[in-house]
Amino acid sequence: MVQLWGKDVERKFFEESLKIATPEQLFYVTENNEYVAYWPKGYKGKKSTLQSRNSFIGTFTEKWISDLMNKIVIEKGLFATTGVVCPEIELTESSPADVAITVEKGKNQKAEGILLIIEVKMSIVWNWKYINDAKEGPKLVCIGDFRTHQGNPGLLRSDSMLKAIGKSINIRVSSDKASKIPIIVITNTPITNSYYEKVDNIKKAGVIQGFFSVNPKPMDGLDNSLKQTEGKGYYKFDSFNEIRGYINSILQSEINFFSGMKNKEEIGRIIEIANKEDSYEKKGEAFLKLIKR
């Protein structure tokens, strides 16, 4: 059974990263010389910044999502790849897609070969203490969930949310070729209530098809974390089967993004012209063509 994000995955991240990085690159060091993933709530000692962990967790989470997606799309003969570049829709070497599902294998893609773009906004959710025990050797101890520390992981951090939205808008307005490619944002945290309505509106506008968490239980004990917003702009997957069903569904759908500011008369003319076509599909094609003029 395929497991989604949880403490075991975070433990694996630290264990693997400690093979190539020092504890000081992965943990904050308190005044008492304790190594912690985040400053605990109530800690009032001297603090320092920790930027070095970002690249490690970014690489790990993007690879983890890519592996998860490949478990879903492999039976369709598709590929999930990290760092996909497609300049015609503003996916450049300096700002590639974190993960994309494509028809052909490889990082360099044409727009028509990209079936889904995934922005990954994930980080360490729980707080961890690293202990280098003289007798037992190094060990990791989970000391609390995100409510017990001073960090704002994943999409609980406002600038992470804004970066995901900004990048998605940049892709959407880059070219008509981007209009048929769904974009989703994957995280491993809830979102703040100030973004509930915003993510629903963004989904409704078609810019992003949804913000999704792959962490079923981000809270220790009784987990009453957000399952979904009213308009399902944010949705938390509780199982692999649930996310597999969604990904398969969105890959099968033929969607089109459109936007514009037109007066009622212009819209009326467009509807009248499109309505002359003899099938719903042709009416839709005509409407999309005319609305973009």
Side-chain angles (χ1 to χ4, degrees):
M1 183 178 178
V2 179
Q3 297 295 321
L4 298 186
W5 192 270
K7 291 181 186 178
D8 288 345
V9 181
E10 295 197 359
R11 183 182 294 276
K12 181 181 178 182
F13 161 73
F14 282 116
E15 289 174 347
E16 290 186 358
S17 298
L18 283 166
K19 295 175 183 177
I20 56 174
T22 64
E24 289 79 10
Q25 289 178 290
L26 301 172
F27 297 92
Y28 294 98
V29 183
T30 70
E31 284 188 335
N32 296 327
N33 208 36
E34 293 181 327
Y35 289 76
V36 291
Y38 292 105
W39 302 114
K41 281 188 176 176
Y43 175 75
K44 300 185 184 300
K46 186 178 179 181
K47 296 179 182 178
S48 59
T49 57
L50 182 66
Q51 300 295 332
S52 53
R53 187 171 68 201
N54 293 346
S55 62
F56 290 102
I57 191 64
T59 300
F60 181 89
T61 54
E62 288 172 18
K63 174 67 164 52
W64 189 85
I65 289 296
S66 175
D67 290 344
L68 183 70
M69 291 298 124
N70 272 315
K71 290 181 175 70
I72 297 171
V73 303
I74 190 170
E75 61 189 23
K76 297 179 180 294
L78 303 175
F79 304 91
T81 307
T82 60
V84 167
V85 173
C86 181
E88 56 191 336
I89 56 170
E90 291 299 318
L91 294 175
T92 62
E93 291 284 353
S94 60
S95 184
D98 291 339
V99 177
I101 294 177
T102 60
V103 176
E104 302 290 339
K105 197 172 185 178
K107 292 184 181 293
N108 294 297
Q109 296 285 335
K110 295 288 187 181
E112 54 268 24
I114 299 175
L115 304 181
L116 176 65
I117 294 170
I118 303 171
E119 282 301 299
V120 180
K121 295 298 179 186
M122 301 170 67
S123 54
I124 296 300
V125 180
W126 284 269
N127 203 1
W128 295 84
K129 182 184 286 187
Y130 171 76
I131 303 170
N132 195 357
D133 190 276
K135 292 183 179 180
E136 299 179 12
K139 62 180 180 179
L140 289 160
V141 179
C142 183
I143 56 175
D145 62 31
F146 67 90
R147 297 170 296 177
T148 68
H149 61 68
Q150 298 179 33
N152 288 309
L155 288 184
L156 288 170
R157 189 178 176 92
S158 184
D159 65 343
S160 294
M161 177 70 81
L162 294 174
K163 285 177 182 177
I165 296 169
K167 185 172 179 180
S168 300
I169 291 172
N170 196 42
I171 294 168
R172 281 281 175 247
V173 302
S174 64
S175 165
D176 282 346
K177 292 181 179 180
S179 64
K180 295 183 179 181
I181 305 174
I183 302 172
I184 63 174
V185 179
I186 292 185
T187 187
N188 54 358
T189 67
I191 59 173
T192 60
N193 56 14
S194 64
Y195 275 100
Y196 287 6
E197 188 174 357
K198 292 182 180 71
V199 296
D200 285 348
N201 287 338
I202 290 167
K203 180 187 177 185
K204 191 184 298 182
V207 176
I208 295 172
Q209 279 53 68
F211 297 77
F212 300 102
S213 174
V214 289
N215 186 354
K217 294 183 177 180
M219 295 179 177
D220 293 335
L222 179 63
D223 191 313
N224 59 354
S225 58
L226 179 68
K227 172 65 176 177
Q228 65 184 54
T229 52
E230 185 176 352
K232 292 188 178 181
Y234 171 90
Y235 188 89
K236 181 181 70 173
F237 293 116
D238 291 324
S239 68
F240 175 71
N241 285 339
E242 196 175 12
I243 188 172
R244 179 170 59 186
Y246 172 79
I247 295 298
N248 285 335
S249 173
I250 200 168
L251 289 176
Q252 291 169 5
S253 64
E254 293 185 13
I255 59 176
N256 285 270
F257 171 78
F258 63 94
S259 64
M261 291 285 285
K262 296 182 183 294
N263 61 44
K264 292 178 181 178
E265 185 177 350
E266 288 178 292
I267 295 171
R269 285 182 187 148
I270 289 170
I271 293 172
E272 183 178 29
I273 294 169
N275 198 43
K276 293 177 181 178
E277 300 293 337
D278 56 10
S279 72
Y280 287 135
E281 186 173 352
K282 288 181 179 179
K283 291 177 196 288
E285 288 175 355
F287 177 83
L288 289 170
K289 184 177 180 180
L290 292 166
I291 202 77
K292 292 176 181 178
R293 284 184 178 177

Short mmCIF file of all heavy atoms in Angstrom, two decimals, residues 64-122:
data_model
loop_
_atom_site.label_atom_id
_atom_site.label_comp_id
_atom_site.label_asym_id
_atom_site.label_seq_id
_atom_site.Cartn_x
_atom_site.Cartn_y
_atom_site.Cartn_z
N TRP A 64 9.93 13.24 -4.29
CA TRP A 64 8.91 12.41 -3.63
C TRP A 64 7.58 12.52 -4.38
O TRP A 64 6.91 11.50 -4.61
CB TRP A 64 8.75 12.85 -2.17
CG TRP A 64 7.89 11.95 -1.35
CD1 TRP A 64 8.28 10.81 -0.69
CD2 TRP A 64 6.49 12.10 -1.10
NE1 TRP A 64 7.20 10.25 -0.04
CE2 TRP A 64 6.09 11.02 -0.27
CE3 TRP A 64 5.54 13.05 -1.48
CZ2 TRP A 64 4.78 10.86 0.16
CZ3 TRP A 64 4.23 12.88 -1.05
CH2 TRP A 64 3.86 11.81 -0.24
N ILE A 65 7.19 13.72 -4.77
CA ILE A 65 5.95 13.91 -5.54
C ILE A 65 6.07 13.26 -6.91
O ILE A 65 5.13 12.62 -7.40
CB ILE A 65 5.61 15.41 -5.67
CG1 ILE A 65 5.15 15.98 -4.32
CG2 ILE A 65 4.53 15.64 -6.73
CD1 ILE A 65 3.85 15.38 -3.79
N SER A 66 7.22 13.41 -7.54
CA SER A 66 7.44 12.78 -8.85
C SER A 66 7.28 11.27 -8.75
O SER A 66 6.62 10.63 -9.59
CB SER A 66 8.83 13.14 -9.37
OG SER A 66 9.10 12.47 -10.58
N ASP A 67 7.86 10.67 -7.72
CA ASP A 67 7.74 9.22 -7.53
C ASP A 67 6.29 8.82 -7.28
O ASP A 67 5.81 7.80 -7.80
CB ASP A 67 8.61 8.77 -6.34
CG ASP A 67 10.10 8.86 -6.64
OD1 ASP A 67 10.46 8.98 -7.83
OD2 ASP A 67 10.89 8.82 -5.68
N LEU A 68 5.58 9.63 -6.48
CA LEU A 68 4.17 9.35 -6.20
C LEU A 68 3.34 9.41 -7.48
O LEU A 68 2.51 8.52 -7.73
CB LEU A 68 3.64 10.37 -5.18
CG LEU A 68 2.19 10.19 -4.72
CD1 LEU A 68 2.05 8.94 -3.85
CD2 LEU A 68 1.71 11.42 -3.95
N MET A 69 3.58 10.43 -8.30
CA MET A 69 2.84 10.57 -9.55
C MET A 69 3.15 9.44 -10.52
O MET A 69 2.27 8.95 -11.24
CB MET A 69 3.15 11.92 -10.20
CG MET A 69 2.62 13.12 -9.45
SD MET A 69 0.81 13.13 -9.35
CE MET A 69 0.60 13.24 -7.57
N ASN A 70 4.40 9.01 -10.55
CA ASN A 70 4.77 7.91 -11.45
C ASN A 70 4.06 6.62 -11.09
O ASN A 70 3.76 5.80 -11.97
CB ASN A 70 6.29 7.71 -11.46
CG ASN A 70 6.98 8.58 -12.49
OD1 ASN A 70 6.53 8.68 -13.63
ND2 ASN A 70 8.06 9.24 -12.09
N LYS A 71 3.77 6.43 -9.82
CA LYS A 71 3.00 5.25 -9.40
C LYS A 71 1.58 5.29 -9.97
O LYS A 71 0.93 4.26 -10.12
CB LYS A 71 2.95 5.16 -7.87
CG LYS A 71 4.28 4.81 -7.22
CD LYS A 71 4.14 4.71 -5.71
CE LYS A 71 5.42 4.24 -5.04
NZ LYS A 71 6.49 5.24 -5.08
N ILE A 72 1.11 6.49 -10.27
CA ILE A 72 -0.24 6.66 -10.81
C ILE A 72 -0.26 6.57 -12.33
O ILE A 72 -1.12 5.92 -12.92
CB ILE A 72 -0.83 8.02 -10.36
CG1 ILE A 72 -0.97 8.07 -8.84
CG2 ILE A 72 -2.18 8.29 -11.04
CD1 ILE A 72 -1.33 9.44 -8.29
N VAL A 73 0.71 7.22 -12.98
CA VAL A 73 0.63 7.39 -14.44
C VAL A 73 1.40 6.33 -15.23
O VAL A 73 1.26 6.27 -16.45
CB VAL A 73 1.11 8.79 -14.86
CG1 VAL A 73 0.29 9.86 -14.15
CG2 VAL A 73 2.60 8.99 -14.59
N ILE A 74 2.19 5.52 -14.55
CA ILE A 74 3.01 4.54 -15.28
C ILE A 74 2.16 3.59 -16.10
O ILE A 74 2.53 3.20 -17.22
CB ILE A 74 3.94 3.77 -14.30
CG1 ILE A 74 4.95 2.94 -15.10
CG2 ILE A 74 3.12 2.89 -13.35
CD1 ILE A 74 6.05 2.33 -14.23
N GLU A 75 0.99 3.23 -15.57
CA GLU A 75 0.13 2.29 -16.30
C GLU A 75 -0.48 2.93 -17.55
O GLU A 75 -0.97 2.22 -18.43
CB GLU A 75 -0.98 1.78 -15.37
CG GLU A 75 -1.89 2.86 -14.83
CD GLU A 75 -2.83 2.36 -13.75
OE1 GLU A 75 -2.53 1.33 -13.11
OE2 GLU A 75 -3.88 3.00 -13.56
N LYS A 76 -0.43 4.25 -17.63
CA LYS A 76 -0.92 4.95 -18.82
C LYS A 76 0.19 5.22 -19.83
O LYS A 76 -0.05 5.83 -20.87
CB LYS A 76 -1.57 6.28 -18.41
CG LYS A 76 -2.79 6.15 -17.51
CD LYS A 76 -3.32 7.52 -17.13
CE LYS A 76 -4.54 7.41 -16.24
NZ LYS A 76 -5.70 6.80 -16.94
N GLY A 77 1.41 4.82 -19.48
CA GLY A 77 2.54 5.08 -20.36
C GLY A 77 3.01 6.52 -20.32
O GLY A 77 3.67 7.00 -21.25
N LEU A 78 2.67 7.23 -19.23
CA LEU A 78 3.06 8.63 -19.08
C LEU A 78 4.23 8.74 -18.10
O LEU A 78 4.62 7.77 -17.46
CB LEU A 78 1.87 9.46 -18.59
CG LEU A 78 0.62 9.40 -19.47
CD1 LEU A 78 -0.52 10.16 -18.81
CD2 LEU A 78 0.90 9.95 -20.87
N PHE A 79 4.76 9.97 -17.97
CA PHE A 79 5.94 10.17 -17.14
C PHE A 79 5.75 11.39 -16.23
O PHE A 79 5.21 12.41 -16.65
CB PHE A 79 7.17 10.39 -18.01
CG PHE A 79 7.43 9.29 -18.99
CD1 PHE A 79 6.90 9.33 -20.27
CD2 PHE A 79 8.19 8.18 -18.63
CE1 PHE A 79 7.12 8.31 -21.18
CE2 PHE A 79 8.42 7.15 -19.52
CZ PHE A 79 7.89 7.20 -20.80
N ALA A 80 6.20 11.26 -14.99
CA ALA A 80 6.25 12.39 -14.07
C ALA A 80 7.72 12.73 -13.86
O ALA A 80 8.51 11.88 -13.46
CB ALA A 80 5.59 12.05 -12.74
N THR A 81 8.07 13.97 -14.15
CA THR A 81 9.48 14.38 -14.15
C THR A 81 9.65 15.68 -13.39
O THR A 81 8.79 16.57 -13.46
CB THR A 81 9.98 14.57 -15.60
OG1 THR A 81 9.69 13.40 -16.36
CG2 THR A 81 11.47 14.83 -15.64
N THR A 82 10.75 15.81 -12.68
CA THR A 82 11.05 17.06 -11.98
C THR A 82 11.79 18.02 -12.91
O THR A 82 12.46 17.60 -13.85
CB THR A 82 11.93 16.80 -10.74
OG1 THR A 82 13.16 16.20 -11.16
CG2 THR A 82 11.24 15.88 -9.75
N GLY A 83 11.65 19.32 -12.62
CA GLY A 83 12.43 20.34 -13.33
C GLY A 83 12.16 20.44 -14.82
O GLY A 83 13.08 20.65 -15.61
N VAL A 84 10.89 20.32 -15.21
CA VAL A 84 10.55 20.34 -16.64
C VAL A 84 10.63 21.77 -17.20
O VAL A 84 10.12 22.72 -16.61
CB VAL A 84 9.15 19.75 -16.88
CG1 VAL A 84 8.65 20.05 -18.29
CG2 VAL A 84 9.18 18.25 -16.63
N VAL A 85 11.27 21.88 -18.36
CA VAL A 85 11.48 23.16 -19.03
C VAL A 85 10.68 23.22 -20.32
O VAL A 85 10.69 22.28 -21.11
CB VAL A 85 12.99 23.37 -19.34
CG1 VAL A 85 13.20 24.62 -20.18
CG2 VAL A 85 13.79 23.45 -18.05
N CYS A 86 9.97 24.34 -20.50
CA CYS A 86 9.21 24.57 -21.73
C CYS A 86 9.11 26.08 -21.92
O CYS A 86 8.15 26.71 -21.46
CB CYS A 86 7.82 23.93 -21.64
SG CYS A 86 6.81 24.15 -23.12
N PRO A 87 10.09 26.70 -22.57
CA PRO A 87 10.14 28.16 -22.69
C PRO A 87 8.88 28.79 -23.29
O PRO A 87 8.55 29.93 -22.95
CB PRO A 87 11.35 28.39 -23.59
CG PRO A 87 12.22 27.19 -23.37
CD PRO A 87 11.27 26.06 -23.19
N GLU A 88 8.18 28.08 -24.17
CA GLU A 88 7.01 28.68 -24.82
C GLU A 88 5.87 28.96 -23.85
O GLU A 88 4.97 29.74 -24.15
CB GLU A 88 6.53 27.79 -25.98
CG GLU A 88 6.20 26.37 -25.60
CD GLU A 88 5.98 25.48 -26.82
OE1 GLU A 88 5.64 26.01 -27.90
OE2 GLU A 88 6.16 24.26 -26.69
N ILE A 89 5.90 28.34 -22.66
CA ILE A 89 4.90 28.67 -21.63
C ILE A 89 5.60 29.14 -20.34
O ILE A 89 5.09 28.95 -19.24
CB ILE A 89 3.94 27.49 -21.35
CG1 ILE A 89 4.70 26.22 -20.94
CG2 ILE A 89 3.05 27.22 -22.54
CD1 ILE A 89 3.80 25.11 -20.43
N GLU A 90 6.75 29.77 -20.53
CA GLU A 90 7.50 30.41 -19.44
C GLU A 90 8.01 29.44 -18.38
O GLU A 90 8.22 29.84 -17.22
CB GLU A 90 6.64 31.50 -18.77
CG GLU A 90 6.40 32.72 -19.64
CD GLU A 90 7.69 33.44 -20.03
OE1 GLU A 90 8.57 33.59 -19.18
OE2 GLU A 90 7.80 33.83 -21.21
N LEU A 91 8.23 28.20 -18.75
CA LEU A 91 8.93 27.27 -17.87
C LEU A 91 10.38 27.24 -18.34
O LEU A 91 10.71 26.58 -19.32
CB LEU A 91 8.30 25.87 -17.94
CG LEU A 91 6.87 25.76 -17.41
CD1 LEU A 91 6.32 24.36 -17.63
CD2 LEU A 91 6.80 26.12 -15.92
N THR A 92 11.21 28.01 -17.67
CA THR A 92 12.59 28.21 -18.09
C THR A 92 13.55 27.42 -17.22
O THR A 92 13.16 26.83 -16.21
CB THR A 92 12.94 29.70 -18.03
OG1 THR A 92 12.83 30.14 -16.66
CG2 THR A 92 11.99 30.53 -18.89
N GLU A 93 14.81 27.44 -17.59
CA GLU A 93 15.84 26.77 -16.79
C GLU A 93 15.89 27.33 -15.38
O GLU A 93 16.12 26.59 -14.42
CB GLU A 93 17.22 26.93 -17.46
CG GLU A 93 17.38 26.17 -18.77
CD GLU A 93 17.57 24.67 -18.58
OE1 GLU A 93 17.71 24.24 -17.42
OE2 GLU A 93 17.58 23.94 -19.59
N SER A 94 15.66 28.62 -15.25
CA SER A 94 15.71 29.25 -13.93
C SER A 94 14.39 29.13 -13.17
O SER A 94 14.34 29.33 -11.97
CB SER A 94 16.09 30.73 -14.06
OG SER A 94 15.14 31.42 -14.85
N SER A 95 13.31 28.81 -13.88
CA SER A 95 12.01 28.66 -13.24
C SER A 95 11.21 27.54 -13.92
O SER A 95 10.19 27.77 -14.56
CB SER A 95 11.22 29.97 -13.32
OG SER A 95 9.99 29.87 -12.63
N PRO A 96 11.68 26.29 -13.76
CA PRO A 96 11.00 25.17 -14.41
C PRO A 96 9.77 24.74 -13.62
O PRO A 96 9.52 25.23 -12.52
CB PRO A 96 12.07 24.06 -14.37
CG PRO A 96 12.84 24.36 -13.11
CD PRO A 96 12.86 25.86 -12.99
N ALA A 97 9.00 23.83 -14.19
CA ALA A 97 7.92 23.20 -13.42
C ALA A 97 8.55 22.30 -12.37
O ALA A 97 9.48 21.55 -12.68
CB ALA A 97 7.02 22.38 -14.34
N ASP A 98 8.08 22.39 -11.15
CA ASP A 98 8.63 21.51 -10.11
C ASP A 98 8.48 20.05 -10.54
O ASP A 98 9.42 19.27 -10.48
CB ASP A 98 7.91 21.74 -8.78
CG ASP A 98 8.22 23.10 -8.18
OD1 ASP A 98 9.26 23.69 -8.55
OD2 ASP A 98 7.44 23.58 -7.35
N VAL A 99 7.26 19.72 -10.97
CA VAL A 99 6.97 18.38 -11.50
C VAL A 99 5.96 18.56 -12.63
O VAL A 99 5.08 19.42 -12.55
CB VAL A 99 6.37 17.44 -10.43
CG1 VAL A 99 6.01 16.08 -11.03
CG2 VAL A 99 7.35 17.26 -9.26
N ALA A 100 6.09 17.78 -13.68
CA ALA A 100 5.09 17.79 -14.75
C ALA A 100 4.84 16.36 -15.21
O ALA A 100 5.75 15.53 -15.20
CB ALA A 100 5.55 18.65 -15.92
N ILE A 101 3.62 16.09 -15.58
CA ILE A 101 3.27 14.80 -16.19
C ILE A 101 3.25 15.01 -17.69
O ILE A 101 2.57 15.91 -18.20
CB ILE A 101 1.92 14.29 -15.67
CG1 ILE A 101 2.03 13.99 -14.17
CG2 ILE A 101 1.48 13.04 -16.44
CD1 ILE A 101 0.74 13.55 -13.52
N THR A 102 4.02 14.19 -18.38
CA THR A 102 4.24 14.40 -19.82
C THR A 102 4.04 13.11 -20.61
O THR A 102 4.07 12.01 -20.06
CB THR A 102 5.67 14.92 -20.06
OG1 THR A 102 6.61 13.96 -19.56
CG2 THR A 102 5.89 16.25 -19.36
N VAL A 103 3.87 13.30 -21.92
CA VAL A 103 3.70 12.17 -22.83
C VAL A 103 5.05 11.50 -23.10
O VAL A 103 5.14 10.27 -23.15
CB VAL A 103 3.06 12.64 -24.15
CG1 VAL A 103 2.98 11.49 -25.15
CG2 VAL A 103 1.68 13.22 -23.90
N GLU A 104 6.07 12.32 -23.27
CA GLU A 104 7.41 11.81 -23.53
C GLU A 104 8.29 12.01 -22.30
O GLU A 104 8.07 12.91 -21.49
CB GLU A 104 8.04 12.53 -24.73
CG GLU A 104 7.25 12.42 -26.02
CD GLU A 104 7.27 11.01 -26.61
OE1 GLU A 104 8.19 10.24 -26.26
OE2 GLU A 104 6.36 10.69 -27.39
N LYS A 105 9.32 11.19 -22.19
CA LYS A 105 10.24 11.29 -21.07
C LYS A 105 11.24 12.41 -21.33
O LYS A 105 11.61 12.68 -22.47
CB LYS A 105 10.99 9.97 -20.89
CG LYS A 105 11.66 9.79 -19.54
CD LYS A 105 12.18 8.36 -19.40
CE LYS A 105 12.74 8.14 -18.01
NZ LYS A 105 13.22 6.74 -17.85
N GLY A 106 11.67 13.10 -20.28
CA GLY A 106 12.70 14.12 -20.44
C GLY A 106 12.30 15.45 -19.84
O GLY A 106 11.11 15.75 -19.67
N LYS A 107 13.29 16.26 -19.53
CA LYS A 107 13.05 17.55 -18.89
C LYS A 107 12.66 18.63 -19.89
O LYS A 107 11.94 19.57 -19.55
CB LYS A 107 14.29 17.99 -18.11
CG LYS A 107 14.58 17.13 -16.88
CD LYS A 107 15.76 17.67 -16.09
CE LYS A 107 16.06 16.79 -14.87
NZ LYS A 107 15.00 16.86 -13.86
N ASN A 108 13.13 18.55 -21.11
CA ASN A 108 12.81 19.55 -22.13
C ASN A 108 11.59 19.10 -22.92
O ASN A 108 11.60 18.05 -23.57
CB ASN A 108 14.01 19.75 -23.06
CG ASN A 108 15.20 20.35 -22.34
OD1 ASN A 108 15.14 21.47 -21.85
ND2 ASN A 108 16.29 19.59 -22.25
N GLN A 109 10.53 19.91 -22.84
CA GLN A 109 9.25 19.50 -23.39
C GLN A 109 8.64 20.58 -24.28
O GLN A 109 8.95 21.77 -24.15
CB GLN A 109 8.27 19.21 -22.25
CG GLN A 109 8.66 18.04 -21.36
CD GLN A 109 8.41 16.70 -22.01
OE1 GLN A 109 7.56 16.57 -22.90
NE2 GLN A 109 9.15 15.68 -21.57
N LYS A 110 7.76 20.15 -25.17
CA LYS A 110 6.88 21.05 -25.92
C LYS A 110 5.57 21.16 -25.15
O LYS A 110 5.17 20.23 -24.44
CB LYS A 110 6.62 20.50 -27.32
CG LYS A 110 7.84 20.43 -28.22
CD LYS A 110 8.26 21.82 -28.66
CE LYS A 110 9.38 21.75 -29.69
NZ LYS A 110 9.83 23.11 -30.10
N ALA A 111 4.89 22.28 -25.30
CA ALA A 111 3.66 22.50 -24.54
C ALA A 111 2.63 21.40 -24.78
O ALA A 111 1.95 20.95 -23.85
CB ALA A 111 3.07 23.87 -24.89
N GLU A 112 2.51 20.95 -26.02
CA GLU A 112 1.50 19.94 -26.34
C GLU A 112 1.79 18.59 -25.70
O GLU A 112 0.91 17.72 -25.63
CB GLU A 112 1.35 19.78 -27.86
CG GLU A 112 2.65 19.47 -28.59
CD GLU A 112 3.35 20.72 -29.09
OE1 GLU A 112 3.13 21.82 -28.52
OE2 GLU A 112 4.12 20.60 -30.07
N GLY A 113 3.01 18.41 -25.21
CA GLY A 113 3.36 17.15 -24.56
C GLY A 113 3.22 17.18 -23.05
O GLY A 113 3.43 16.17 -22.37
N ILE A 114 2.83 18.34 -22.51
CA ILE A 114 2.66 18.48 -21.06
C ILE A 114 1.18 18.34 -20.72
O ILE A 114 0.34 19.09 -21.22
CB ILE A 114 3.19 19.84 -20.56
CG1 ILE A 114 4.69 19.96 -20.86
CG2 ILE A 114 2.94 20.00 -19.07
CD1 ILE A 114 5.29 21.31 -20.51
N LEU A 115 0.86 17.38 -19.87
CA LEU A 115 -0.53 17.09 -19.53
C LEU A 115 -0.95 17.69 -18.19
O LEU A 115 -2.13 17.90 -17.94
CB LEU A 115 -0.77 15.58 -19.51
CG LEU A 115 -0.41 14.82 -20.79
CD1 LEU A 115 -0.72 13.35 -20.63
CD2 LEU A 115 -1.16 15.40 -21.99
N LEU A 116 0.02 17.95 -17.31
CA LEU A 116 -0.30 18.49 -15.99
C LEU A 116 0.96 19.12 -15.41
O LEU A 116 2.04 18.52 -15.47
CB LEU A 116 -0.80 17.39 -15.05
CG LEU A 116 -1.09 17.77 -13.60
CD1 LEU A 116 -2.25 18.76 -13.51
CD2 LEU A 116 -1.41 16.53 -12.76
N ILE A 117 0.82 20.32 -14.86
CA ILE A 117 1.92 21.00 -14.17
C ILE A 117 1.63 20.99 -12.67
O ILE A 117 0.52 21.32 -12.25
CB ILE A 117 2.08 22.45 -14.68
CG1 ILE A 117 2.52 22.44 -16.15
CG2 ILE A 117 3.08 23.22 -13.82
CD1 ILE A 117 2.48 23.82 -16.81
N ILE A 118 2.64 20.61 -11.90
CA ILE A 118 2.49 20.54 -10.44
C ILE A 118 3.52 21.43 -9.77
O ILE A 118 4.72 21.25 -9.97
CB ILE A 118 2.66 19.09 -9.93
CG1 ILE A 118 1.66 18.15 -10.62
CG2 ILE A 118 2.49 19.03 -8.41
CD1 ILE A 118 1.90 16.68 -10.34
N GLU A 119 3.04 22.39 -9.01
CA GLU A 119 3.92 23.20 -8.18
C GLU A 119 3.95 22.57 -6.78
O GLU A 119 2.89 22.30 -6.20
CB GLU A 119 3.44 24.64 -8.10
CG GLU A 119 3.78 25.45 -9.34
CD GLU A 119 5.28 25.50 -9.60
OE1 GLU A 119 6.01 26.02 -8.74
OE2 GLU A 119 5.72 25.01 -10.66
N VAL A 120 5.13 22.33 -6.26
CA VAL A 120 5.29 21.65 -4.98
C VAL A 120 5.67 22.67 -3.91
O VAL A 120 6.72 23.32 -4.01
CB VAL A 120 6.37 20.54 -5.07
CG1 VAL A 120 6.52 19.84 -3.72
CG2 VAL A 120 6.01 19.54 -6.17
N LYS A 121 4.82 22.82 -2.92
CA LYS A 121 5.07 23.73 -1.80
C LYS A 121 4.99 22.93 -0.50
O LYS A 121 4.00 22.96 0.22
CB LYS A 121 4.06 24.89 -1.81
CG LYS A 121 4.17 25.80 -3.02
CD LYS A 121 5.52 26.48 -3.09
CE LYS A 121 5.66 27.37 -4.32
NZ LYS A 121 7.02 27.91 -4.46
N MET A 122 6.05 22.19 -0.25
CA MET A 122 6.08 21.29 0.90
C MET A 122 7.34 21.55 1.73
O MET A 122 8.34 22.03 1.21
CB MET A 122 6.07 19.83 0.43
CG MET A 122 4.86 19.46 -0.41
SD MET A 122 4.99 17.84 -1.20
CE MET A 122 4.93 16.74 0.23
#
